[in-house]
Amino acid sequence: MFKTKILDNVNFTTTIDFLSLDVEGHELETLKGIDLNKYSFKFLFLKIYFLGISILTLFRVSFLIKYGLFSGGKKFRPYLIINSGEIFGLNYRELIKVAAAVECIHSYSLIHDDLPSMDNDDFRRGKLSVHKAFGESTAILAGNSLLTLAFEILTSSSMRSSSKIKSDLVHALASASGYYGIAGGQFLDLRFEKKKVTKDLIINMQNKKTGELISFCLESSAILSGKERERSFLKKVGLDIGLIRI
């Protein structure tokens, strides 16, 4: 049985520059029952910068982000990152940070997909979608915050990787999230609505909307381990998995 338990021990620390949410004991029990909580660590998961914004507003923003981010699901993408990383003998602490960034991107895309101007869905994973619970403008901002948070995680000082590896991770994830990936796939999905399209066009749409982010999950292990020659192969495997999940 799959379950997720998050934020066991939460400590809010305010400084003159930022409000940080430290998460200790972050648990993700993935497919096959792998308990990631057996690894003891503490890392900066949310750091929300503010300039003259009240603490109450910050708490509300962080709550909205948590509502969209920790909304259930199988955590399939983190599962791929952790397990592909084990093939290369990578450090779990680095892998879970990449997994957190990917979950931010995935959750942002779901929040925006549910909007009235997109798929217009009232529910997501058994509860009200973010725009139904908190309003459309708030949902847009929550999605935007998650999108940018992903890249803050990858470029933070808590990531022990070299500048080149961080740069490669950011470039690959940005590509998987933008026009060549999630955003482009959603554009095609909306464009093809109620139209008869060819199989090739549907596969292209699915590769963008789902496959590219899954490809990044596998490719990220090759980037972290410096295995350049394996990157294209792992990307192809990810695209194939994305088509299986249609």
Side-chain angles (χ1 to χ4, degrees):
M1 189 69 180
F2 186 86
K3 64 179 181 178
T4 304
K5 185 176 68 177
I6 298 179
L7 304 183
D8 284 336
N9 298 309
V10 178
N11 296 309
F12 286 99
T13 304
T14 56
T15 72
I16 197 168
D17 294 322
F18 60 83
L19 173 74
S20 66
L21 176 59
D22 286 341
V23 182
E24 187 173 19
H26 184 86
E27 178 183 311
L28 289 173
E29 288 186 358
T30 65
L31 304 176
K32 297 185 180 178
I34 295 175
D35 182 8
L36 306 186
N37 196 45
K38 65 184 178 182
Y39 301 90
S40 177
F41 69 95
K42 181 176 182 178
F43 70 94
L44 183 65
F45 190 78
L46 281 178
K47 187 167 75 171
I48 306 171
Y49 290 90
F50 65 92
L51 294 172
I53 305 174
S54 70
I55 296 298
L56 181 61
T57 300
L58 287 170
F59 283 160
R60 178 169 174 78
V61 170
S62 64
F63 172 77
L64 294 173
I65 291 174
K66 190 178 83 168
Y67 183 91
L69 184 60
F70 303 141
S71 59
K74 297 179 292 296
K75 300 297 182 289
F76 177 69
R77 291 158 186 80
Y79 170 80
L80 292 177
I81 293 170
I82 299 301
N83 284 273
S84 62
E86 287 181 354
I87 296 174
F88 297 103
L90 294 172
N91 185 287
Y92 171 82
R93 296 187 181 188
E94 292 294 279
L95 292 170
I96 198 62
K97 292 165 191 171
V98 176
V102 167
E103 278 299 291
C104 287
I105 294 292
H106 181 52
S107 296
Y108 125 77
S109 71
L110 298 181
I111 291 172
H112 281 194
D113 280 0
D114 289 339
L115 290 170
S117 59
M118 300 284 189
D119 296 340
N120 194 25
D121 287 323
D122 292 346
F123 292 91
R124 170 69 63 179
R125 294 168 178 165
K127 67 180 186 180
L128 286 174
S129 53
V130 176
H131 77 273
K132 292 299 292 185
F134 304 104
E136 187 174 351
S137 60
T138 301
I140 293 171
L141 293 173
N144 291 347
S145 297
L146 284 168
L147 172 62
T148 53
L149 178 60
F151 299 106
E152 184 176 351
I153 291 171
L154 292 182
T155 56
S156 68
S157 59
S158 66
M159 283 284 292
R160 304 297 183 184
S161 302
S162 67
S163 296
K164 182 184 184 308
I165 288 176
K166 288 182 178 182
S167 176
D168 287 349
L169 286 171
V170 167
H171 183 271
L173 185 56
S175 178
S177 307
Y179 176 76
Y180 293 104
I182 295 173
Q186 177 67 1
F187 171 79
L188 293 177
D189 194 6
L190 294 171
R191 184 181 177 187
F192 295 161
E193 206 168 79
K194 298 181 181 179
K195 292 183 180 179
K196 187 175 182 179
V197 296
T198 66
K199 175 183 174 182
D200 288 343
L201 287 175
I202 293 174
I203 289 175
N204 180 46
M205 177 195 74
Q206 183 66 17
N207 281 339
K208 288 174 176 289
K209 190 168 181 176
T210 301
E212 288 292 341
L213 188 59
I214 291 177
S215 287
F216 172 80
C217 293
L218 298 179
E219 182 189 8
S220 62
S221 295
I223 295 174
L224 286 168
S225 59
K227 305 290 185 181
E228 287 294 320
R229 296 203 314 197
E230 279 78 11
R231 286 181 63 174
S232 59
F233 170 73
L234 291 173
K235 277 180 66 69
K236 177 63 169 61
V237 172
L239 288 176
D240 290 343
I241 293 174
L243 290 177
I244 292 172
R245 286 174 56 79
I246 291 182

